[in-house]
Amino acid sequence: MQVDLQESWRLGDVEIPSRLVLAPMAGVSVQAFRRQGRRFGAGLVCSEMVSCAGLSYKNERTLGYLRIAADEHPLAVQIFGSEPGVMAEAARMVEDAGADIVDINFGCPVRKVTKTGAGAHCLEEPARACAIVESVANAISLPVSVKMRRGLANGSRTCLEIGPQLVDAGAASLTLHPRSAKQMYTGEADHSLTSELVELVDVPVIASGDITSRAKAQMVLATTGAQAVMVGRAAQGNPWALSQIMGEEGEPSREEVVAELVLFMRETVRELGEQRASGFLKKFYGWYLGRGRFPRPFKQELVQLRTLDEVEECLFAAAPGARFVLERLQDELPQGEEVLLDLPISIYGGG
Ligand SMILES: Cc1cc2nc3c(=O)[nH]c(=O)nc-3n(C[C@H](O)[C@H](O)[C@H](O)COP(=O)(O)O)c2cc1C
């Protein structure tokens, strides 16, 4: 079952250089994560879900999600909301910020979002969902994609009814995470629904859910006919999952793990400011250092340190060779500031 993950494909008029997509994840998919994902083989990366209401109120923190670096294209920015007009306005802001694709979230199962009529709730209101897609598609010249769950209730097949309607309304691609909203992340993603959806629509379908290895990626691509696979949790603190899915072999050395983590920390500080970054980064220590790479108590030690400088020192002490790996990595990266978006950090608050 050999499938070529290196093949490029098109989402609307955007060329995607591989069949691997990095999933949008709230609280994870910062710019540093997306740029890293591109370096490790993802052909398309996506922002976390951005509130269209927050954009329309020009909330500083929400506007910060529209910071796009030159080396993360092609990039989708995902928006969520329940009002077609407000979603259209948000999509225009996303287009102005320089994204390549606007993705609409019809999958978020979290009550705080669904109770406002957004996220997975839209699957229960097909007319509203279609009105949102139509209004966004009419407002911008970028392709519009939709990401959805199978439905709200366990066993639901709503995605198969609504999918073709969303395409008729203007969606240029559909991503399916075939779990119900009720399931959250329990059970398994049922990719037989992905195969059924592929049969029903004539736009590319992206398969999301439980893609954790090259074998699984190839199996899902071959059996569903999906155009691409999306990887989420497997890539948290583990960009090597992406390169392995793309065909590279071998596990990273401790030095490589520490170098990537330190680079990620530094980029996140630049993006979020030191204060926000230090809280944000805590969950990443376990993700990077787990998987048998470092003893457990090491992570506990890092989480308790006061400053990120101290965390860096501790990491370098555990893997001194990482300093050289980091230097090499930084030399290979496109140069820092000039790849970042032109808008001044002050409008985002920075910290
Ligand atoms: C922490 C976390 C945050 C997520 N946030 C989003 C989000 O903002 N938008 C979205 O469409 N999906 C979101 N998802 C769902 C993922 O994009 C993906 O569909 C799901 O995790 C299944 O893929 P996986 O098994 O590869 O993780 C999130 C998932 C996780 C674990």
Side-chain angles (χ1 to χ4, degrees), residues 114-159:
T114 54
K115 77 173 184 208
T116 66
H121 176 86
C122 288
L123 299 173
E124 290 295 293
E125 274 195 81
R128 178 185 290 274
C130 290
I132 289 174
V133 171
E134 197 175 339
S135 140
V136 168
N138 287 337
I140 56 174
S141 57
L142 305 179
V144 176
S145 57
V146 171
K147 182 163 179 287
M148 61 181 168
R149 292 225 172 197
R150 66 183 294 165
L152 289 192
N154 290 346
S156 167
R157 293 168 60 81
T158 303
C159 60

Side-chain angles (χ1 to χ4, degrees), residues 215-238:
K216 181 81 188 257
Q218 292 199 320
M219 197 267 281
V220 168
L221 286 172
T223 56
T224 63
Q227 191 61 249
V229 281
M230 178 178 271
V231 174
R233 288 166 296 173
Q236 291 173 336
N238 193 25

Side-chain angles (χ1 to χ4, degrees), residues 174-176 191 194 205-209 211 220 224 226-231:
L174 300 175
T175 300
L176 179 61
H191 284 296
T194 313
V205 171
I206 302 171
S208 169
I211 311 290
V220 168
T224 63
Q227 191 61 249
V229 281
M230 178 178 271
V231 174

Side-chain angles (χ1 to χ4, degrees), residues 23-26 49 78 105 147 177 185 208-210 231-233:
M25 287 185 283
M49 54 190 245
Q78 187 185 69
N105 180 312
K147 182 163 179 287
H177 175 202
Y185 296 95
S208 169
D210 305 341
V231 174
R233 288 166 296 173

Side-chain angles (χ1 to χ4, degrees), residues 40-156:
F40 279 79
L44 175 64
V45 296
C46 189
S47 78
E48 66 179 82
M49 54 190 245
V50 182
S51 156
C52 73
L55 289 179
S56 100
Y57 292 135
K58 311 272 184 298
N59 176 297
E60 276 206 12
R61 198 175 268 204
T62 316
L63 287 170
Y65 292 120
L66 300 189
R67 288 186 94 182
I68 295 169
D71 59 352
E72 57 179 317
H73 295 285
L75 161 85
V77 169
Q78 187 185 69
I79 54 175
F80 72 97
S82 59
E83 293 302 326
V86 187
M87 286 289 272
E89 185 193 337
R92 276 191 287 267
M93 293 172 75
V94 170
E95 180 169 44
D96 289 346
D100 303 289
I101 294 161
V102 171
D103 189 64
I104 298 179
N105 180 312
F106 288 159
C108 181
V110 176
R111 174 127 179 87
K112 199 171 109 190
V113 170
T114 54
K115 77 173 184 208
T116 66
H121 176 86
C122 288
L123 299 173
E124 290 295 293
E125 274 195 81
R128 178 185 290 274
C130 290
I132 289 174
V133 171
E134 197 175 339
S135 140
V136 168
N138 287 337
I140 56 174
S141 57
L142 305 179
V144 176
S145 57
V146 171
K147 182 163 179 287
M148 61 181 168
R149 292 225 172 197
R150 66 183 294 165
L152 289 192
N154 290 346
S156 167

Side-chain angles (χ1 to χ4, degrees), residues 40 238-241 243-245 247-253 256 293:
F40 279 79
N238 193 25
W240 298 276
S243 48
Q244 286 160 359
I245 288 173
E248 272 178 38
E249 283 172 17
E251 290 296 323
S253 65
E256 285 171 306
R293 291 170 181 157

